[in-house]
Amino acid sequence: MENQNQIAQVKLASHGKRAINLIIDGMFCGFVTLALSIAGAHLDKTYGFSLLNVGMPDINNYKFSLFQTGISIVYYGLFETLTGRTLGKLVTETRVVMRDGATPGNEPILIRTLCRQIPLVFISCLFYIPIPIFWHDMFSKTLVVDNYDYMRAQKQKNNPAPAETENKSE
């Protein structure tokens, strides 16, 4: 999507879809973190292998908080680097793209992922009410768009409509 017309054809994901993405991805990361912390506690209790025992969720448990942050970084980094989509984005039919419509590389995804770790980052949505572009989008120069519109624009870019030929039957 090299020109502005093609970018205009792609619809930004709505605040509602972005909220659903946050909820689904947050629940998934929370479930994985809790499951792995329970498994770590079990390994410690059963086999004395305490390396993975980060304890249970608690506001004062820094090991659990760091573990949860690590799970989040791996989750977002891996999914968005490989597919441009997380589980939440799969459900809401959205994807991450660069502002010019290109597929994001490792650096923008790393920036997006690290910006998500800023405490209270969800407040950034309050400053961008008319347009759903948040801090992790702004700093990484990415957008979250509807996947259907993006795929249609990509198809049009790769297969432009043939120019009308003049009828030379005179």
Side-chain angles (χ1 to χ4, degrees), residues 10-73:
V10 177
K11 182 178 159 192
L12 288 177
S14 67
H15 279 285
K17 286 186 176 185
R18 300 292 303 265
I20 292 169
N21 291 347
L22 177 68
I23 291 167
I24 292 171
D25 294 334
M27 288 175 58
F28 181 80
C29 285
F31 174 77
V32 169
T33 303
L34 188 59
L36 290 176
S37 68
I38 290 170
H42 176 71
L43 288 172
D44 185 20
K45 183 178 178 183
T46 307
Y47 303 107
F49 186 68
S50 62
L51 181 64
L52 297 177
N53 189 357
V54 295
M56 291 295 123
D58 184 339
I59 196 152
N60 296 321
N61 186 349
Y62 70 91
K63 286 169 86 176
F64 185 86
S65 297
L66 287 173
F67 187 64
Q68 186 172 24
T69 299
I71 294 292
S72 175
I73 289 170

Side-chain angles (χ1 to χ4, degrees), residues 65-139:
S65 297
L66 287 173
F67 187 64
Q68 186 172 24
T69 299
I71 294 292
S72 175
I73 289 170
V74 169
Y75 171 74
Y76 283 105
L78 187 65
F79 275 91
E80 289 187 345
T81 297
L82 295 177
T83 66
R85 304 172 84 183
T86 59
L87 293 178
K89 289 176 185 67
L90 287 168
V91 170
T92 61
E93 298 279 328
T94 57
R95 76 168 35 253
V96 177
V97 297
M98 297 302 294
R99 289 182 186 165
D100 66 356
T103 302
N106 294 339
E107 184 179 341
I109 296 300
L110 178 63
I111 292 168
R112 276 180 70 79
T113 301
L114 293 177
C115 285
R116 282 189 173 97
Q117 306 313 311
I118 298 171
L120 304 175
V121 72
F122 60 88
I123 292 176
S124 69
C125 70
L126 299 176
F127 300 108
Y128 300 101
I129 293 298
I131 302 171
I133 298 175
F134 307 134
W135 288 342
H136 57 280
D137 302 317
M138 185 176 61
F139 295 130

Side-chain angles (χ1 to χ4, degrees), residues 129-153:
I129 293 298
I131 302 171
I133 298 175
F134 307 134
W135 288 342
H136 57 280
D137 302 317
M138 185 176 61
F139 295 130
S140 65
K141 298 179 178 141
T142 58
L143 300 170
V144 176
V145 298
D146 281 336
N147 190 52
Y148 175 77
D149 292 336
Y150 174 78
M151 296 307 284
R152 188 182 66 214

